[in-house]
Amino acid sequence: MKESYLIINIAAVLVPFLFSFHPKIQFYKKWPKFFTALIVVLAVFLPWDMLFTSMGIWGFTPKYVTGLKLINLPIEEVLFFICIPYACVFSYHCFDKFVKMERFQKFENPISIALIIFLSVIAISNYSKLYTSVTFTSLAIFTVLLKYVFKVDWLHKLYFSYLILMIPFFIVNGLLTGTGLDEPIVWYDNNHNLGIRMLTIPFEDTFYGLLLLMLTVSVYERQSAKLEK
């Protein structure tokens, strides 16, 4: 039905939104920092999304969206870049608050180095596949900047959070890419990706999601550091 994508967005953000007001969580107090980060995310990802949609690298099946658009994007796709970052940063906030994250710090360096090398090799060897090369190059460069230029101290928290978030990631992205549906809500041209699917999810989506979270958290943490000074 035409509300399918909209329902997925609402389902993804509903519980995090409601629990934002829980007295032990109080994520609503972090809203100014989150919404500052969200502005940056929308400024980066919406033009990228619009360009790739216009190029046919990915697209949207009309019967699963309402028909309302922002330029060439279904309004549901725009809401995706609001709902998913909210749910992810809410989760990041909760993990940071309730989990002893220091124990994972020793894994940050090998994970970051392995990630940068892996992304660089895949991007260079698949430069003609635009979804692969742009996503992997962007994530590799951003990881280098955060680790070696800005020298942030929260990458271990990000990696742990994303590992746990892979569970809802597979549910949401699985639905969006066609798991259990006659057709995918979001389709991909395999000429521009590796053609590797995890169930129905393109392999690149895993790293696209990590980049989305990394950018959101980087601004969110930067705002937090400013307010603490």
Side-chain angles (χ1 to χ4, degrees), residues 9 19 35 99 135 141 144 153 157 206 208 213 223-224:
N9 281 328
F19 272 84
F35 285 114
V99 178
T135 301
I141 292 172
V144 168
D153 60 359
K157 296 190 288 186
T206 306
Y208 184 87
L213 179 60
Q223 290 299 112
S224 298

Side-chain angles (χ1 to χ4, degrees), residues 22-130:
H22 192 285
K24 291 185 178 181
I25 298 175
Q26 299 184 356
F27 183 63
Y28 70 92
K29 293 183 178 179
K30 307 290 186 180
W31 281 1
K33 291 180 284 188
F34 168 73
F35 285 114
T36 300
L38 183 63
I39 290 169
V40 176
V41 166
L42 292 175
V44 172
F45 278 86
L46 287 185
W48 178 359
D49 202 347
M50 289 173 181
L51 177 62
F52 273 26
T53 299
S54 68
M55 295 173 68
I57 293 173
W58 56 53
F60 311 91
T61 303
K63 71 178 182 179
Y64 294 122
V65 294
T66 58
L68 297 174
K69 288 189 175 184
L70 176 65
I71 305 179
N72 63 340
L73 295 182
I75 196 66
E76 294 87 350
E77 179 75 350
V78 178
L79 290 174
F80 175 91
F81 290 106
I82 299 173
C83 296
I84 299 305
Y86 187 95
C88 288
V89 176
F90 168 84
S91 301
Y92 176 86
H93 167 77
C94 291
F95 296 143
D96 193 23
K97 195 175 184 70
F98 299 115
V99 178
K100 293 180 179 179
M101 305 289 256
E102 297 80 13
R103 72 184 78 172
F104 306 110
Q105 197 157 14
K106 61 185 177 182
F107 300 110
E108 182 272 313
N109 192 57
I111 289 173
S112 294
I113 293 172
L115 183 64
I116 292 165
I117 294 172
F118 171 76
L119 292 168
S120 301
V121 170
I122 298 299
I124 292 169
S125 58
N126 294 275
Y127 65 90
S128 63
K129 299 179 185 295
L130 287 179

Side-chain angles (χ1 to χ4, degrees), residues 61-221:
T61 303
K63 71 178 182 179
Y64 294 122
V65 294
T66 58
L68 297 174
K69 288 189 175 184
L70 176 65
I71 305 179
N72 63 340
L73 295 182
I75 196 66
E76 294 87 350
E77 179 75 350
V78 178
L79 290 174
F80 175 91
F81 290 106
I82 299 173
C83 296
I84 299 305
Y86 187 95
C88 288
V89 176
F90 168 84
S91 301
Y92 176 86
H93 167 77
C94 291
F95 296 143
D96 193 23
K97 195 175 184 70
F98 299 115
V99 178
K100 293 180 179 179
M101 305 289 256
E102 297 80 13
R103 72 184 78 172
F104 306 110
Q105 197 157 14
K106 61 185 177 182
F107 300 110
E108 182 272 313
N109 192 57
I111 289 173
S112 294
I113 293 172
L115 183 64
I116 292 165
I117 294 172
F118 171 76
L119 292 168
S120 301
V121 170
I122 298 299
I124 292 169
S125 58
N126 294 275
Y127 65 90
S128 63
K129 299 179 185 295
L130 287 179
Y131 185 25
T132 307
S133 59
V134 172
T135 301
F136 283 36
T137 301
S138 300
L139 182 55
I141 292 172
F142 198 41
T143 305
V144 168
L145 289 174
L146 291 176
K147 180 169 178 59
Y148 297 108
V149 179
F150 300 112
K151 299 180 179 179
V152 300
D153 60 359
W154 45 261
L155 278 175
H156 64 288
K157 296 190 288 186
L158 177 86
Y159 295 145
F160 171 83
S161 299
Y162 194 61
L163 180 63
I164 304 302
L165 287 168
M166 288 298 290
I167 299 170
F169 164 84
F170 271 97
I171 296 171
V172 172
N173 259 40
L175 289 170
L176 291 178
T177 54
T179 300
L181 301 175
D182 295 332
E183 299 176 72
I185 295 173
V186 183
W187 53 261
Y188 295 81
D189 180 354
N190 284 337
N191 291 314
H192 292 287
N193 60 55
L194 295 172
I196 300 171
R197 298 277 176 144
M198 301 171 292
L199 298 178
T200 56
I201 303 168
F203 182 62
E204 288 80 358
D205 276 12
T206 306
F207 301 95
Y208 184 87
L210 179 57
L211 179 60
L212 177 62
L213 179 60
M214 190 178 284
L215 178 59
T216 312
V217 170
S218 67
V219 182
Y220 175 83
E221 287 282 8

